Amino acid sequence: MDINDIFKESVSSKTLMPSKSKRKLGATPGLRTLKEGGYGITDSSNIADGVDSEHVKRVKRAESDSAEDDDDGADDDEGGRFFSDGLTSEEKDVMTWVDNMEIMDDALDQAAVQRMVVRLERAVSKNTEDRIKHANSPQLFAESEADLDEALQRLLLLANDVQYLKVLEDLGTLPTLVGLMAHENADITLDVIQFVVEVTAEDAWSHEGESTEERELVSVFVRALAANEFFEVLGQNLRRLKEDSDSFEGEADRMGVFQSLSLVENIVSLDSTIVGSVVSAMDLLEWLRTRITRSVYSRASAKGSTTQADPNQQYAAELVSILLHSSWQHRVEASSGQLGLTLMECLAKYKKHTPEDEVEMEYLENIVDSICMMVSTRVGKSAFIEAEGVELLLVLQQQQQQVARLLSLKILDYAMSPTYSDPAAKDAGEDEAAQSKALAASMAKRYIDNRGLKHLFSILMHQGKGGVRKLYKKYPETDDRAVSCLASLFRLTRRDSPEHWRLLAKFASTQTDDSSWKLYVDRIVELNIEYFERVQGVEAQADSDSDNESEADSDSEMDRYTRRLDAGLFSLQMTDIVVAFVAEDAKAREHIEQQLKRKGRTLAMVAEELAEYVAAREETDLQAAPRKRIIQRIKESHEGPLTVAHMLCHIE
């Protein structure tokens, strides 16, 4: 007989919190047992010694009232045997003592934590002894396994007061917890993981109005676990859990994987400085790479068997995205290793397939986010080009009915955007930026040469019917991505190159067709005005708020700038860049001026917004001096404000 089967049948507290679970008792202990166990029991009169006196008085009054009620009903039916509890006075005293000890345990203090630790150590010793003594008779050590499970569950109380985590370290409990991670019963291992997940969760250390002291206490606890090689064992445990089974054990293992991934996510929120060592100790990126490609269940379709993302597969993809967002080093490692290629393979599955549920949709979005983080590095851009990532995006954009078509635009936007050096690298500055810009220019050329402008302008103009139009409404940020890609294409192509003129020709009048170019110009101007009105509304609200607030409470320059960015300032500046380049054509310039004038805008306003964009890139503290200097340069130039403006747009 398998011990796991016995344990799962006899213990149901696995998914219950300690405050909600019922205490499971064996045979009622007698007074002799309590005396021999060192519980300070000498006779039935001092059972409740050490317990709050008021509580003892209340218990005795309740027992007295209960006794009177029993006496009153004793003659009603054969001596009252149907109205009594069936316990002798000695057994009642023992149960009262147990209840009092339970109340004492609920009051969490250092003494209570010490009692928890003692109980845990005894349970571990007893279970180890029983497993050795009765190795071939699982039923004989099932009870000690249940006691061990209960002792671990009681540790969850520490999530309510993390200041006592230090007690576990002082008493040498951490090696015991790490040792239990290799327990033969997977449920015991999952109990340990659940405990660490609960005490590292944001709710445990981020209570409203409290200082960072609790956060530091939990961080120290995690570092102590790392010093005891907890995360190495956790990584090994991830690989021994079998999620493919449809049995009860498979469900428990899937929960174990979920808890393990939750723990890593908690640590990312808790202390980003230790994430790298945790991921390295677990060899987590490699495990995640294999997990995002594998689903624990498949669904059949008319065209054959296809794989649908399961919840843990989606969570694995989400954790990849979280890790790449949190660390520059993880992005570089993913780009230079196999993870980047695996992410692109996962994306390629959606060339002709649309996610059918929310889990699969989130899975795809996390894959896209991860690729975006990867191509934000120079190494990632190089790997993306070598893996023919631009060609993959073009294939995805050809499929009008697929949501991956719109999401691929986000990857293209990140791939052609400027790359900034690792903040931790002091000597990586200009060379890194120059190499990154050259790689982005190479991708822009590939995109235009492979007729990508056709798909980009189709998305910009919201072309399509039925379900395609619904996708545009579901992803309104598509317009932001489209204008950002256009601005990048203008900036990254040389002005005398065929690619630049092919792009500019989309907005210029021709002898054969004198109307289609106006549609594209009108669309850019329409978006420019839309973004301007949104930003202007935020500025007006900020001015109104500052008039009603004291000078000390008013928003700083950075706060105002952040609010404008949230309203769409960056997208406004991207449309300004497109307008600046398109206005090189005299006919297009005249048409632009007419459209802007209807909404009270001018090309001079566009130039000033571009000057702010360049100044913000030069000065991260948003000082006014660089901005004024650039605006003055534009106004005094004999070349015209927009000519200078689009030249400034080449500054990275």
Side-chain angles (χ1 to χ4, degrees):
M1 180 179 293
D2 188 0
I3 177 57
N4 290 325
D5 295 335
I6 296 177
F7 186 68
K8 291 184 176 74
E9 292 175 1
S10 60
V11 180
S12 60
S13 63
K14 175 67 191 73
T15 58
L16 299 177
M17 292 296 291
S19 59
K20 296 181 180 179
S21 61
K22 295 184 179 179
R23 188 178 184 87
K24 185 166 183 173
L25 300 174
T28 304
L31 289 177
R32 176 174 297 178
T33 302
L34 295 176
K35 294 175 186 177
E36 294 175 353
Y39 291 97
I41 304 300
T42 56
D43 54 53
S44 61
S45 63
N46 68 347
I47 291 293
D49 286 350
V51 183
D52 183 82
S53 59
E54 290 297 326
H55 174 75
V56 174
K57 292 178 181 179
R58 289 195 297 270
V59 171
K60 289 184 176 181
R61 283 198 299 268
E63 290 177 347
S64 176
D65 294 340
S66 176
E68 292 178 1
D69 293 339
D70 291 343
D71 291 341
D72 292 341
D75 297 333
D76 291 344
D77 188 0
E78 298 183 9
R81 59 189 179 93
F82 291 109
F83 295 91
S84 65
D85 52 16
L87 299 177
T88 65
S89 59
E90 181 179 348
E91 291 172 335
K92 287 181 180 180
D93 290 338
V94 171
M95 293 302 295
T96 301
W97 177 84
V98 170
D99 291 339
N100 292 336
M101 291 302 296
E102 189 76 18
I103 293 173
M104 289 177 64
D105 284 348
D106 288 340
L108 193 63
D109 53 20
Q110 185 166 345
V113 176
Q114 290 173 345
R115 287 195 296 271
M116 290 181 191
V117 172
V118 170
R119 179 180 298 181
L120 174 63
E121 296 291 351
R122 287 178 178 174
V124 171
S125 299
K126 177 62 174 173
N127 180 245
T128 303
E129 180 183 343
D130 287 353
R131 274 186 167 270
I132 295 174
K133 186 183 299 184
H134 309 292
N136 298 322
S137 303
Q139 65 273 16
L140 297 180
F141 57 78
E143 184 176 354
S144 65
E145 210 119 295
D147 293 338
L148 176 56
D149 174 75
E150 183 181 353
L152 287 169
Q153 291 288 334
R154 293 193 65 81
L155 290 181
L156 292 174
L157 291 172
L158 295 177
N160 299 325
D161 202 342
V162 295
Q163 64 174 316
Y164 296 113
L165 290 175
K166 188 69 169 62
V167 178
L168 298 184
E169 185 178 355
D170 294 340
L171 295 177
T173 311
L174 300 190
T176 300
L177 294 177
V178 175
L180 290 175
M181 289 289 291
H183 198 279
E184 294 182 18
N185 188 340
D187 280 351
I188 298 300
T189 299
L190 299 184
D191 282 342
V192 178
I193 297 174
Q194 183 186 11
F195 162 66
V196 182
V197 169
E198 292 296 331
V199 298
T200 57
E202 191 169 355
D203 292 343
W205 50 262
S206 181
H207 300 296
E208 185 177 356
E210 295 191 4
S211 65
T212 59
E213 182 180 355
E214 290 190 342
R215 183 175 193 156
E216 182 61 26
L217 288 171
V218 178
S219 180
V220 169
F221 176 72
V222 173
R223 292 175 186 274
L225 284 175
N228 284 274
E229 300 183 346
F230 173 83
F231 294 103
E232 285 84 351
V233 181
L234 181 62
Q236 297 170 9
N237 185 69
L238 262 179
R239 289 163 173 80
R240 76 164 177 157
L241 295 176
K242 302 184 182 302
E243 302 178 77
D244 298 333
S245 174
D246 292 331
S247 63
F248 185 85
E249 290 84 354
E251 182 64 30
D253 285 355
R254 286 190 287 273
M255 177 56 67
V257 170
F258 178 83
Q259 294 277 25
S260 300
L261 300 184
S262 298
L263 174 55
V264 178
E265 184 179 3
N266 289 348
I267 295 175
V268 173
S269 301
L270 173 68
D271 189 350
S272 60
T273 62
I274 60 178
V275 175
S277 60
V278 168
V279 172
S280 176
M282 296 177 62
D283 193 15
L284 185 60
L285 288 181
E286 176 60 24
W287 184 88
L288 291 173
R289 185 187 71 81
T290 59
R291 187 62 181 86
I292 62 177
T293 63
R294 178 177 57 85
S295 177
V296 298
Y297 54 81
S298 300
R299 54 178 169 77
S301 65
K303 298 181 180 180
S305 179
T306 57
T307 302
Q308 182 184 15
D310 64 82
N312 278 350
Q313 185 182 13
Q314 182 274 322
Y315 198 3
E318 181 180 352
L319 191 57
V320 170
S321 177
I322 290 172
L323 292 174
L324 297 188
H325 271 84
S326 66
S327 170
W328 181 278
Q329 184 59 38
H330 288 151
R331 299 177 206 173
V332 174
E333 186 177 345
S335 303
S336 57
Q338 294 295 315
L339 179 56
L341 292 175
T342 301
L343 288 170
M344 293 180 62
E345 291 173 0
C346 293
L347 177 63
K349 294 188 301 185
Y350 293 92
K351 290 185 293 187
K352 295 184 179 181
H353 168 59
T354 297
E356 296 189 2
D357 55 26
E358 289 299 324
V359 172
E360 195 172 6
M361 188 68 241
E362 290 183 22
Y363 169 78
L364 174 58
E365 290 175 348
N366 285 314
I367 293 294
V368 170
D369 287 344
S370 297
I371 297 176
C372 288
M373 289 296 98
M374 184 185 72
V375 299
S376 67
T377 66
R378 179 190 59 80
V379 178
K381 281 177 167 56
S382 178
F384 190 70
I385 293 174
E386 291 179 6
E388 299 183 348
V390 176
E391 288 73 14
L392 173 60
L393 298 183
L394 286 167
V395 172
L396 292 172
Q397 291 178 11
Q398 292 175 10
Q399 311 298 325
Q400 288 201 4
Q401 299 294 333
Q402 308 303 330
V403 67
R405 173 179 181 243
L406 302 184
L407 295 178
S408 67
L409 207 60
K410 181 178 181 180
I411 300 176
L412 181 65
D413 184 21
Y414 272 81
M416 295 192 300
S417 295
T419 298
Y420 301 97
S421 302
D422 181 0
K426 298 180 180 179
D427 302 325
E430 296 182 0
D431 291 342
E432 182 87 7
Q435 294 174 16
S436 173
K437 184 176 180 180
L439 291 169
S442 173
M443 283 188 276
K445 185 179 186 304
R446 282 196 180 200
Y447 187 78
I448 295 175
D449 289 345
N450 287 281
R451 300 183 180 182
L453 294 179
K454 173 184 176 182
H455 309 302
L456 178 59
F457 278 86
S458 174
I459 296 174
L460 177 68
M461 302 301 293
H462 288 193
Q463 293 178 356
K465 299 179 180 179
V468 178
R469 292 194 174 276
K470 292 181 180 179
L471 287 177
Y472 291 127
K473 293 180 179 179
K474 185 177 181 180
Y475 295 93
E477 67 275 10
T478 300
D479 292 336
D480 303 348
R481 300 295 179 191
V483 296
S484 181
C485 288
L486 277 175
S488 296
L489 290 172
F490 270 118
R491 294 205 322 262
L492 294 170
T493 52
R494 298 193 316 272
R495 294 182 64 193
D496 59 347
S497 66
E499 293 79 23
H500 186 87
W501 285 106
R502 287 175 63 181
L503 178 59
L504 194 59
K506 289 285 186 178
F507 300 95
S509 61
T510 61
Q511 294 180 351
T512 57
D513 185 2
D514 197 35
S515 59
S516 61
W517 65 274
K518 290 185 178 180
L519 296 177
Y520 297 141
V521 173
D522 288 346
R523 178 61 175 159
I524 292 297
V525 174
E526 175 189 352
L527 291 172
N528 183 273
I529 294 173
E530 177 184 334
Y531 294 133
F532 172 76
E533 290 177 346
R534 281 159 50 180
V535 173
Q536 193 178 41
V538 169
E539 290 177 342
Q541 182 63 41
D543 292 338
S544 175
D545 293 342
S546 62
D547 292 339
N548 299 328
E549 295 176 355
S550 63
E551 184 175 349
D553 296 332
S554 61
D555 291 341
S556 65
E557 184 69 20
M558 180 59 74
D559 291 335
R560 290 173 65 93
Y561 184 72
T562 303
R563 292 173 65 178
R564 293 170 66 213
L565 280 176
D566 293 339
L569 175 61
F570 180 77
S571 296
L572 171 63
Q573 293 166 340
M574 293 300 100
T575 56
D576 287 339
I577 291 175
V578 177
V579 168
F581 279 101
V582 173
E584 283 187 284
D585 181 79
K587 212 167 188 179
R589 180 186 182 116
E590 181 182 355
H591 187 71
I592 289 172
E593 288 177 333
Q594 292 176 356
Q595 297 299 318
L596 291 175
K597 189 175 181 180
R598 293 179 180 179
K599 294 294 184 178
R601 286 196 25 98
T602 63
L603 288 177
M605 297 171 66
V606 172
E608 290 198 15
E609 291 158 2
L610 281 174
E612 181 183 22
Y613 169 72
V614 176
R617 296 176 67 84
E618 287 188 348
E619 300 290 336
T620 56
D621 58 359
L622 301 180
Q623 294 178 358
R627 178 184 175 188
K628 290 182 178 179
R629 171 174 54 80
I630 295 172
I631 293 175
Q632 189 64 26
R633 177 184 172 186
I634 291 175
K635 289 182 177 179
E636 294 177 354
S637 174
H638 298 291
E639 302 177 25
L642 286 179
T643 304
V644 176
H646 77 67
M647 290 176 64
L648 291 172
C649 293
H650 285 281
I651 299 177
E652 294 295 347

